[in-house]
Amino acid sequence: LGQMTDLIYAEKDLVQSLKEYIRAEENKLSQIKSWAEKMDVLTSKSTSDPEGYLAHPVNAYKLVKRLNTDWLELENLVLQDTTNGFIANLTIQRQFFPTEEDETGAAKALMRLQDTYKLDPETLSRGNLPGKSTLTVGDCFGMGKTAYNDGDYYHTVLWMEQALKQHDEGEDTTVSKVEILDYLSYAVFQFGDLHRAMELTRRLISLDSTHERAGSNLRYFEKLLEKEREEEKDKSVNETMTTEPVVQSGAYERPLDYLPERDIYEALCRGEGVKMTPRRQKRLFCRYHDGNRNPNLLIAPFKEEDEWDSPHIVRYYDVMSDEEIEKIKQLAKPKLARATVRDPKTGVLTVASYRVSKSSWLEEDDDPVVAKVNQRMQQITGLTVKTAELLQVANYGMGGQYEPHFDFSRKDEPDAFKRLGTGNRVATFLNYMSDVEAGGATVFPDFGAAIWPKKGTAVFWYNLFRSGEGDYRTRHAACPVLVGCKWVSNKWFHERGNEFLRPCGRTEVD
């Protein structure tokens, strides 16, 4: 969203340019209309008595002049192009417009929010979220079409049904019911709901009897249904009793995907299933933290609060001021690019569908505030920033997320940080640089924790045990942002340079 704000002003500029074009066009039409009305009166008079009209020498002269000069001027006025200014502005602005890929991504983001936060299409379409922004029939149809083109029939059905519902309610739209039913009937068929697919196809044909594909589909569906009936006749009563029930019309299950903890992860994002029992709560405290008597923190220690006991996750308050946050955001915005992940096999950075955000990396030379923030994180953690990665700033916009992942490299990906030469990621320091109106939590599916963003605070945890073994419990995720704009910055501390600052423990899991 950090970069999308520029599009808001670009669109406003285009609207002003469009209004200027409309004014010019209206002025042009006004002149033409005035000429037409004047000529209508004149020609009515001249055609009533052509010879009497032309008997007057002035009338004869003016007729010749009009046809030779005045009508030519009118022709030039009609041919005058008032679109030049608007088209030129539009051409300049178009280079900054979102692409088709961006539009598809935005549609998928809405579907991601729909799934994660259990929002039905009606909730999203009717604007039952903060802001009250609604979706038209055309918008819903576009969502369904995006899902269809991606082979996602689950969301195709949901959004085409919503488009059809709003169409049936009489909403004005350029999208026809035939178009909606065409997509909906086929998507329903993909779920094996043959009866409903036929019902929708018949409705389509009743609206457009010449629709060739619908007619062909209906004949195909009828053959399949006949085949099913014949097979049922051949089955015994016992076999019929053990047959799986037919999918109920309209009730389709969301298909499983690549993420094993999908349900747990999304429940935590909604604030459900958090395993903070009263007994565990009693083990959590808040205190003043001076970084093991760091001279810089003795007079002004940080407020530290336990977020979780094991693994130990803490939150620090007033880590960054509003002025520092704004400066970091200003430095990051020009550098923001699609966030990448490191390929576990090659170590090469690449984009991935499970991480949707934009990020940039800031060096201490970029501005004194970066060095100041880095130094502060070093004082709080007691770890060195000399071998840490650069300060990463991330902006999560519409549906922005980072699905469950590990910050450290596992044994099956030994070369993940080989290029850095600083060992594995020993710890994560995460600064929240904005409040988020809804969504955007940091969750840990393994032990059921959910940590909510709060501007100016930071959370910290160790990814590795003191032995250097990875703590697999720290698999975490950044939940999709439902409403708002989420800014974070983080510092990953590495093993090298911290051997004596965080020495080995006595056991493998200390």
Side-chain angles (χ1 to χ4, degrees):
L1 290 187
Q3 291 173 321
M4 285 183 71
T5 52
D6 295 336
L7 296 177
I8 294 290
Y9 295 108
E11 189 171 45
K12 183 179 180 181
D13 181 55
L14 284 175
V15 170
Q16 293 304 317
S17 181
L18 181 61
K19 284 183 176 180
E20 289 172 12
Y21 157 68
I22 292 170
R23 280 193 292 269
E25 198 71 26
E26 285 176 339
N27 181 52
K28 172 182 166 181
L29 287 171
S30 178
Q31 293 180 58
I32 295 170
K33 184 179 180 181
S34 175
W35 168 265
E37 289 172 349
K38 184 176 71 174
M39 291 308 299
D40 188 42
V41 172
L42 196 152
T43 54
S44 295
K45 181 181 177 182
S46 64
T47 54
S48 64
D49 182 13
E51 288 189 4
Y53 178 81
L54 291 173
H56 198 296
V58 172
N59 288 343
Y61 162 73
K62 290 180 74 173
L63 174 63
V64 172
K65 178 181 177 293
R66 280 198 307 274
L67 293 172
N68 182 58
T69 302
D70 295 356
W71 278 99
L72 181 62
E73 289 177 357
L74 179 68
E75 180 184 5
N76 291 333
L77 177 62
V78 171
L79 293 174
Q80 182 182 332
D81 191 355
T82 58
T83 65
N84 288 341
F86 172 67
I87 294 299
N89 192 12
L90 182 61
T91 301
I92 292 169
Q93 298 283 11
R94 186 177 283 119
Q95 61 183 314
F96 305 111
F97 280 11
T99 62
E100 187 174 340
E101 181 185 0
D102 293 321
E103 184 180 346
T104 299
K108 288 183 178 179
L110 272 181
M111 295 176 207
R112 189 181 307 126
L113 295 175
Q114 176 185 356
D115 294 337
T116 304
Y117 298 105
K118 289 190 174 180
L119 306 171
D120 55 39
E122 180 84 4
T123 300
L124 288 171
S125 183
R126 300 304 187 188
N128 296 329
L129 291 173
K132 298 291 182 182
S133 187
T134 60
L135 294 172
T136 64
V137 170
D139 294 331
C140 295
F141 179 75
M143 291 283 292
K145 197 172 177 181
T146 296
Y148 180 88
N149 292 337
D150 202 40
D152 178 3
Y153 301 114
Y154 172 74
H155 288 105
T156 302
V157 170
L158 291 178
W159 284 104
M160 288 301 175
E161 283 182 336
Q162 183 63 30
L164 187 62
K165 179 180 179 182
Q166 291 179 212
H167 204 304
D168 287 341
E169 290 171 355
E171 184 179 310
D172 189 28
T173 180
T174 57
V175 179
S176 69
K177 285 186 182 180
V178 169
E179 292 176 282
I180 299 171
L181 289 165
D182 193 15
Y183 282 97
L184 180 56
S185 59
Y186 186 76
V188 164
F189 169 68
Q190 291 297 314
F191 277 96
D193 194 344
L194 195 53
H195 290 276
R196 187 158 180 249
M198 289 177 66
E199 174 194 328
L200 292 166
T201 306
R202 287 194 180 106
R203 185 178 174 187
L204 190 163
I205 292 172
S206 70
L207 295 170
D208 181 4
S209 59
T210 62
H211 201 290
E212 292 184 11
R213 184 170 54 254
S216 176
N217 285 346
L218 184 59
R219 289 190 294 273
Y220 178 64
F221 295 159
E222 287 172 344
K223 286 181 182 177
L224 287 178
L225 188 61
E226 184 62 32
K227 186 178 179 181
E228 279 188 8
R229 287 170 178 165
E230 289 176 359
E231 289 175 352
E232 284 178 4
K233 288 178 182 178
D234 296 335
K235 289 180 181 178
S236 64
V237 175
N238 291 335
E239 286 176 330
T240 303
M241 291 176 64
T242 58
T243 300
E244 293 183 6
V246 177
V247 178
Q248 292 298 311
S249 293
Y252 307 114
E253 291 292 326
R254 180 179 165 197
L256 298 174
D257 64 9
Y258 54 86
L259 198 61
E261 68 265 66
R262 171 72 65 187
D263 290 342
I264 298 172
Y265 154 56
E266 292 183 348
L268 288 171
C269 289
R270 297 189 296 271
E272 302 168 6
V274 179
K275 298 176 182 176
M276 180 54 68
T277 61
R279 183 178 179 183
R280 172 168 263 145
Q281 185 77 48
K282 289 178 182 178
R283 295 200 291 264
L284 305 182
F285 298 93
C286 51
R287 64 192 75 80
Y288 283 108
H289 175 74
D290 60 14
N292 295 322
R293 298 193 64 76
N294 185 302
N296 296 283
L297 303 186
L298 285 176
I299 297 176
F302 282 93
K303 287 176 278 189
E304 181 186 73
E305 180 181 35
D306 293 330
E307 285 282 353
W308 208 262
D309 53 352
S310 181
H312 194 205
I313 303 173
V314 294
R315 188 194 293 262
Y316 296 102
Y317 288 82
D318 304 319
V319 174
M320 294 174 69
S321 67
D322 288 348
E323 293 74 20
E324 288 173 332
I325 287 173
E326 288 308 309
K327 186 62 179 179
I328 292 288
K329 285 163 66 175
Q330 286 175 19
L331 294 169
K333 276 184 180 181
K335 299 182 178 183
L336 284 175
R338 174 70 186 269
T340 56
V341 295
R342 196 174 297 278
D343 188 294
K345 294 182 179 179
T346 64
V348 176
L349 294 174
T350 181
V351 297
S353 60
Y354 56 83
R355 187 180 190 186
V356 183
S357 65
K358 285 200 168 185
S359 66
S360 60
W361 300 83
L362 300 183
E363 301 188 42
E364 293 197 352
D365 294 341
D366 290 336
D367 193 274
V369 73
V370 180
K372 191 175 179 181
V373 169
N374 282 345
Q375 192 65 26
R376 191 175 301 145
M377 289 187 285
Q378 176 172 281
Q379 292 167 358
I380 292 174
T381 62
L383 302 172
T384 180
V385 294
K386 291 181 180 178
T387 55
E389 294 177 46
L390 298 178
L391 183 68
Q392 181 182 225
V393 182
N395 179 220
Y396 294 84
M398 177 184 177
Q401 61 154 10
Y402 193 176
E403 289 179 355
H405 63 282
F406 298 100
D407 279 351
F408 64 92
S409 66
R410 275 78 64 215
K411 290 180 179 180
D412 59 344
E413 44 184 26
D415 297 333
F417 303 115
K418 187 176 182 180
R419 182 181 57 83
L420 300 176
T422 52
N424 211 342
R425 286 174 176 167
V426 69
T428 297
F429 196 102
L430 179 63
N431 297 295
Y432 293 118
M433 302 200 302
S434 67
D435 292 314
V436 179
E437 197 167 348
T442 305
V443 299
F444 295 78
D446 185 81
F447 50 90
I451 299 172
W452 303 93
K454 183 175 177 58
K455 188 178 181 181
T457 70
V459 291
F460 174 78
W461 68 85
Y462 283 103
N463 297 303
L464 307 179
F465 292 111
R466 288 180 176 272
S467 62
E469 291 294 320
D471 187 346
Y472 284 78
R473 297 173 300 173
T474 61
R475 182 171 167 87
H476 60 286
C479 295
V481 176
L482 180 56
V483 180
C485 181
K486 180 182 176 183
W487 283 89
V488 298
S489 61
N490 66 277
K491 176 70 74 172
W492 281 307
F493 293 90
H494 282 248
E495 290 178 295
R496 299 291 85 82
N498 288 306
E499 293 90 343
F500 297 104
L501 297 174
R502 193 201 185 214
C504 287
R506 294 179 180 178
T507 69
E508 192 175 319
V509 292
D510 280 353

